[in-house]
Amino acid sequence: GENVEQHPSTLSVQEGDSAVIKCTYSDSASNYFPWYKQELGKRPQLIIDIRSNVGEKKDQRIAVTLNKTAKHFSLHITETQPEDSAVYFCAAILSGTYKYIFGTGTRLKVLA
Amino acid sequence: EAGVVQSPRYKIIEKKQPVAFWCNPISGHNTLYWYRQNLGQGPELLIRYENEEAVDDSQLPKDRFSAERLKGVDSTLKIQPAELGDSAVYLCASSSTRGRDTQYFGPGTRLTVL
């Protein structure tokens, strides 16, 4: 079955710096990779996603890159702001199976 | 559009008591998921519904957990009896047929079993 490893588990950056979170998946058939942001006590919110036919996707300060050969994908946040502080989860899914396998999460703290 | 609605938001019970959680998915979403999220972990799927049919309940501890989605819209997840290890956040999510890969989560129910 699919397994997703996520690193680092915690990340502290200064406001304005960049943050990178990396996930590695095991099932090469996985083809959809969403990223969720979860603030304390709130629901996981989809912030960006990527499909396996694309190598990179960007949305303002957030970008995701995918390396299918190495089976890893990364979340990049540039010009971090205090409101980016949250737990970020990656997930991998075989399209059509509906079964998300989540990483263990990264607690990002942006220091003002 | 309104998001996924869950209630209650918080529940504290004694062990061996029953507890139930309710979820109303986004209108028009026929796929509904129940997840359990332990502290510091990612969500883990308990059960998935397609309309009123449970199509994946392989991770549901059936000795004490049950779920239903009688009319293919809202759903209830029940634990009876609750154990200390059931303390977690129970998340409901939904997705549509057209955008089936993207799941939208509710705010969750935080269960504390004493």
Side-chain angles (χ1 to χ4, degrees):
Chain A
E2 177 66 280
N3 181 52
V4 177
E5 293 186 358
Q6 184 171 345
H7 300 281
S9 56
T10 59
L11 179 61
S12 293
V13 299
Q14 289 294 133
E15 183 178 359
D17 287 351
S18 296
V20 181
I21 303 169
K22 183 175 176 179
C23 287
T24 304
Y25 60 99
S26 61
D27 189 343
S28 56
S30 294
N31 56 0
Y32 176 68
F33 308 94
W35 284 91
Y36 285 83
K37 174 184 179 183
Q38 188 174 27
E39 296 177 71
L40 189 63
K42 296 191 176 180
R43 72 187 72 198
Q45 296 256 16
L46 179 72
I47 55 172
I48 196 166
D49 55 13
I50 192 167
R51 296 190 182 276
S52 58
N53 59 346
V54 176
E56 183 175 358
K57 184 176 178 181
K58 193 172 182 179
D59 183 4
Q60 299 183 345
R61 297 186 297 108
I62 295 173
V64 57
T65 59
L66 172 65
N67 183 327
K68 286 190 294 183
T69 303
K71 291 190 285 187
H72 67 70
F73 55 110
S74 299
L75 178 71
H76 305 255
I77 306 174
T78 58
E79 301 172 27
T80 53
Q81 301 167 3
E83 52 265 38
D84 294 329
S85 296
V87 178
Y88 291 81
F89 291 98
C90 64
I93 184 174
L94 176 59
S95 184
T97 67
Y98 311 104
K99 194 164 187 175
Y100 277 17
I101 305 298
F102 281 91
T104 50
T106 297
R107 182 173 300 279
L108 173 65
K109 188 178 293 186
V110 179
L111 306 171
Chain B
E1 70 184 2
V4 177
V5 179
Q6 288 187 250
S7 68
R9 291 297 314 278
Y10 304 92
K11 190 73 177 179
I12 301 174
I13 61 172
E14 303 259 334
K15 64 180 180 182
K16 300 184 182 179
Q17 293 299 306
V19 65
F21 315 123
W22 177 81
C23 172
N24 187 253
I26 292 172
S27 177
H29 282 194
N30 58 344
T31 307
L32 183 146
Y33 315 76
W34 282 103
Y35 287 88
R36 178 167 57 191
Q37 185 176 25
N38 292 311
L39 192 64
Q41 303 278 324
E44 295 179 327
L45 182 69
L46 292 173
I47 190 168
R48 172 170 69 90
Y49 279 93
E50 289 290 340
N51 299 304
E52 65 275 10
E53 183 182 359
V55 294
D56 183 356
D57 62 356
S58 57
Q59 303 300 312
L60 190 72
K62 298 181 185 62
D63 56 337
R64 296 183 301 106
F65 286 65
S66 64
E68 60 184 16
R69 193 185 185 199
L70 294 175
K71 296 183 179 180
V73 180
D74 54 357
S75 175
T76 303
L77 177 70
K78 297 179 182 177
I79 309 175
Q80 183 171 9
E83 296 179 352
L84 295 177
D86 295 332
S87 295
V89 175
Y90 291 84
L91 291 163
C92 179
S94 69
S95 63
S96 69
T97 302
R98 193 182 308 175
R100 58 186 61 185
D101 287 334
T102 303
Q103 298 181 18
Y104 298 90
F105 285 84
T109 296
R110 181 175 296 279
L111 174 67
T112 301
V113 182
L114 303 175

